[in-house]
Amino acid sequence: MLFPLLLATTGLTGLTQNLYGTISTNIQTATGISAEGIGYVMSLGQAATVLAVFAYPTLVRRTGPYRALILGCLGYALGFFLIGCARSVALFAAAYTLWAIIQYPLAGSKFALMTHYDPAKKSPHLAEMHLCYSIVSIFNGFYVAFCKKHAWYLAFWQTGLLFALLGVGFILARKEAEKIPAMIHHDTHGESGLQDGFSLLADPAYLCYFPFIATAATAEGLSMVYPLMFIEQNLKASADQVGLVVTLFFTGMTISRILVVCFFSRAKHPGAFLSGFATIATICLARLSFSTLSEAMVLMPVMGFAMGAINPLCHVFSSTLWNERIDQAMNMQSFGETAGKIVVPLLVGLAWKTNGGAFAVQAMGMLVALGIVCFMASLVLLSKR
């Protein structure tokens, strides 16, 4: 029961994580928030998540990663219900910010728990979690198209209920988890939670790698925000066409992650594949800003294919090179994405305000390109060890 539940955490996240971006136009209508405001709320939410990031190492020392995961599932459910109730900018910003904080233990613990489940198979299992995410996300397109035609807030209420049920499932599976002590009791290494949670930043190679997570890994989620807003508002796509674009994007991602499970996660040099996929994603973002709607339909699955490999390969890369601090490495992945979602939406939102949607998509590409440069510096430092 435990392994399917762990897979379900990313599968359900695939159904819900992009609701904010794909239904952003409907949220704008319901609350009166602007496109620039969308970026501000995302940055505010991620800035608030920093509080959870710093609190998480202390929380997991007290509760263990398994109970932290249960708290995250229930927090996700509560936050989504409150977002669905928001009908003003202030209430929406408050609900989104609260959700960003209380759901964080789910993001911080789910991949670490999968590595503890069977350490000998951690690389393919991590890749399988990401594959489950992308497969479920294919259906996200149909779900979004349905919600955009009816009541957008039902999407948050329905998926919030699913997260509550998932939390109950983990409670029922606790006896199975207790057979794996690392799931229940955190293996502390430092005198404080901060030392347990952030000592990797003292490693120069990881310090260079971190900006790559903050830009390239973050771009996956933001692909369901600004590129979709550009396609809907600048290229005049209908609700059905937006849903189709979402489905095409995640179809490309699913194909990529099948290859990650079968081949890339087992490769001796995942770093080379990481830089290659990030480069393809950058090129797609640059071209998308000049595209027509028909061209965008072609570019989005290619971009999905490229971005689909980045996050799972980042987890494999981190768990392989920093295996002795696996809990921290998995949490730092979430921390990197959080840091990226503080800065990137703010910069891209300002780019949208000053020069429009095309320039905003280009700004995303430029930030990913900057992350690639940092990643190459990390590879150079690692090669000298």
Side-chain angles (χ1 to χ4, degrees):
M1 182 179 178
L2 187 55
F3 184 77
L5 283 173
L6 288 170
L7 288 179
T9 58
T10 50
L12 188 52
T13 302
L15 185 64
T16 61
Q17 193 167 32
N18 298 310
L19 287 178
Y20 178 68
T22 53
I23 305 181
S24 58
T25 299
N26 303 77
I27 293 173
Q28 284 182 265
T29 302
T31 63
I33 193 171
S34 65
E36 180 187 3
I38 290 284
Y40 286 143
V41 170
M42 289 185 71
S43 293
L44 176 63
Q46 295 306 314
T49 306
V50 172
L51 298 176
V53 168
F54 283 100
Y56 177 78
T58 300
L59 173 69
V60 79
R61 281 165 69 105
R62 292 177 177 271
T63 66
Y66 192 79
R67 278 178 287 181
L69 180 70
I70 294 173
L71 292 173
C73 288
L74 299 179
Y76 219 119
L78 175 61
F80 262 31
F81 178 78
L82 294 176
I83 290 174
C85 292
R87 295 296 181 274
S88 69
V89 175
L91 289 177
F92 177 72
Y96 184 85
T97 302
L98 178 63
W99 167 79
I101 296 173
I102 61 180
Q103 60 81 36
Y104 185 80
L106 173 64
S109 59
K110 60 183 178 182
F111 291 108
L113 286 173
M114 184 59 90
T115 63
H116 294 316
Y117 181 79
D118 188 349
K121 298 180 179 179
K122 64 184 178 183
S123 292
H125 281 174
L126 288 170
E128 286 165 9
M129 289 186 79
H130 285 282
L131 176 60
C132 185
Y133 171 94
S134 61
I135 290 174
V136 174
S137 296
I138 292 176
F139 301 97
N140 193 7
F142 300 103
Y143 186 51
V144 166
F146 173 80
C147 293
K148 288 175 76 67
K149 292 178 181 178
H150 297 86
W152 64 270
Y153 51 85
L154 290 178
F156 290 95
W157 291 352
Q158 291 166 354
T159 51
L161 176 61
L162 292 176
F163 268 107
L165 293 175
L166 183 62
V168 172
F170 277 111
I171 292 173
L172 296 176
R174 179 178 171 82
K175 288 187 177 180
E176 183 180 350
E178 289 175 345
K179 298 177 182 178
I180 307 173
M183 284 190 169
I184 305 300
H185 305 290
H186 177 61
D187 185 16
T188 58
H189 291 285
E191 295 180 358
S192 68
L194 288 178
Q195 287 180 330
D196 262 352
F198 303 98
S199 61
L200 278 175
L201 291 176
D203 183 337
Y206 194 89
L207 190 60
C208 289
Y209 171 61
F210 188 77
F212 178 77
I213 299 175
T215 52
T218 299
E220 177 190 315
L222 292 183
S223 295
M224 291 291 99
V225 182
Y226 292 103
L228 281 189
M229 288 173 62
F230 170 75
I231 289 170
E232 185 171 4
Q233 297 180 19
N234 292 55
L235 303 183
K236 308 303 180 185
S238 66
D240 286 336
Q241 288 169 328
V242 171
L244 177 59
V245 167
V246 173
T247 297
L248 290 172
F249 179 88
F250 285 110
T251 299
M253 178 179 287
T254 299
I255 294 171
S256 175
R257 288 183 172 174
I258 290 173
L259 293 176
V260 170
V261 171
C262 296
F263 175 65
F264 297 128
S265 65
R266 308 169 195 273
K268 293 183 178 180
H269 304 289
F273 291 109
L274 261 176
S275 56
F277 282 120
T279 300
I280 294 172
T282 302
I283 294 171
C284 287
L285 285 168
R287 184 70 190 96
L288 180 66
S289 62
F290 299 102
S291 68
T292 62
L293 182 56
S294 58
E295 290 173 333
M297 294 285 187
V298 175
L299 287 168
M300 287 299 284
V302 177
M303 188 162 67
F305 179 85
M307 289 188 174
I310 292 174
N311 266 321
L313 285 178
C314 279
H315 278 110
V316 172
F317 187 77
S318 299
S319 66
T320 301
L321 291 174
W322 293 283
N323 182 61
E324 72 283 359
R325 285 175 283 182
I326 190 67
D327 282 350
Q328 182 183 164
M330 296 298 101
N331 184 44
M332 288 297 292
Q333 175 88 9
S334 298
F335 178 39
E337 294 178 36
T338 298
K341 288 176 182 176
I342 294 172
V343 177
V344 175
L346 182 61
L347 295 176
V348 177
L350 290 174
W352 189 297
K353 179 182 179 181
T354 56
N355 289 294
F359 183 67
V361 175
Q362 293 170 8
M364 278 185 62
M366 287 186 281
L367 290 169
V368 175
L370 178 61
I372 295 172
V373 173
C374 295
F375 181 60
M376 298 306 294
S378 176
L379 292 179
V380 171
L381 291 173
L382 288 169
S383 67
K384 294 181 179 180
R385 289 184 173 178

